[in-house]
């Protein structure tokens, strides 16, 4: 967040500086209203660009084995441009390199889901997906694991819809 605020201010100063330089090279003095107006427009332009390009910039840097499963958009009244077209500001992805099949039961898969949101820390969760029963359960530090690293007992399993991205990815 600090980097975003700092960059926005630098962009504002840079835009104002270009206008001042242009007028100075032209041998004229810039109108008093033009410098702060240019700085404000530059800052708003940068904020809009950052909102709409965040998803593309972040997703293009993901490793090839990470597959994006869902994207989410949010509008905000303090960002009126999001009311016209809402930008993607968070998404979830599954890390293919961390998908593990249970050797004792090939219908059970462990998947790692990564959650990314603009301006927030990245989170990751590990879930057990049972492809036969279409049940999913989160694996936490408190989960008892067998010698293969799979839960010995599943108490909080929840049913998944047939179009759930985690189920589709794990059981394809």
């Amino acid at each position: 967040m600090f980097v975003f605020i700092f960059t926005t201010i630098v962009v504002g100063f840079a835009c104002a500086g270009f206008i001042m330089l242009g007028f100075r090279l032209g041998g004229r003095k810039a109108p008093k209203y033009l410098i702060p107006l240019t700085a404000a427009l530059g800052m708003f332009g940068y904020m809009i660009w950052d909102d709409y390009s965040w998803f593309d910039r972040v997703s293009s840097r993901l490793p090839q084995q990470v597959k994006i499963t869902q994207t989410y958009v949010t509008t905000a009244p303090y960002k009126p441009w999001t009311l016209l077209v809402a930008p993607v500001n968070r998404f979830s992805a599954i890390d293919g390199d961390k998908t593990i099949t249970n050797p004792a039961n090939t219908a059970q898969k462990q998947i790692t889901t990564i959650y990314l949101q603009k301006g927030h820390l990245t989170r990751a969760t590990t879930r057990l997906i049972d492809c036969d029963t279409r049940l999913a359960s989160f694996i936490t530090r408190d989960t008892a694991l067998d010698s293969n690293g799979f839960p010995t007992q599943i108490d909080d399993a929840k049913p998944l819809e047939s179009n759930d991205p985690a189920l589709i990815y794990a059981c394809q």
Side-chain angles (χ1 to χ4, degrees):
M1 189 65 160
F2 173 74
V3 172
F4 173 73
I5 293 170
F6 178 76
T7 306
T8 304
I9 292 169
V10 168
V11 166
F13 275 109
C15 289
F18 281 126
I19 292 297
M20 288 172 44
L21 180 64
F23 272 94
R24 183 82 40 127
L25 290 175
R28 297 182 9 202
K29 189 171 182 175
K32 290 188 183 220
Y33 70 89
L34 193 58
I35 303 304
L37 177 66
T38 304
L41 290 175
M43 292 164 86
F44 275 113
Y46 173 74
M47 290 188 320
I48 293 168
W49 171 83
D50 186 63
D51 274 351
Y52 287 103
S53 67
W54 175 82
F55 175 72
D56 292 331
R57 289 182 288 131
V58 172
S59 62
S60 68
R61 289 184 289 201
L62 293 174
Q64 193 171 19
Q65 73 272 9
V66 175
K67 303 295 180 207
I68 296 170
T69 55
Q70 288 182 299
T71 59
Y72 307 91
V73 298
T74 305
T75 60
Y78 59 88
K79 294 180 178 179
W81 53 89
T82 64
L83 300 174
L84 298 173
V85 177
V88 174
N89 65 350
R90 64 187 173 111
F91 65 94
S92 60
I94 295 177
D95 189 346
D97 278 356
K98 294 186 179 178
T99 300
I100 304 168
T101 303
N102 188 349
N105 181 358
T106 57
Q108 290 183 343
K109 314 269 185 178
Q110 271 187 25
I111 63 168
T112 299
T113 305
I114 305 163
Y115 304 94
L116 293 102
Q117 183 172 1
K118 185 175 186 264
H120 291 80
L121 294 174
T122 301
R123 295 183 305 131
T125 59
T126 303
R127 290 200 298 174
L128 177 70
I129 308 285
D130 191 316
C131 297
D132 289 343
T133 61
R134 292 186 176 173
L135 294 175
S137 175
F138 286 99
I139 299 173
T140 64
R141 287 182 226 166
D142 300 330
T143 305
L145 303 176
D146 64 13
S147 61
N148 294 323
F150 281 79
T152 56
Q153 184 176 355
I154 303 170
D155 295 329
D156 63 340
K158 296 189 177 24
L160 296 174
E161 297 290 328
S162 61
N163 62 349
D164 187 286
L167 181 67
I168 294 169
Y169 184 82
C171 301
Q172 57 181 322

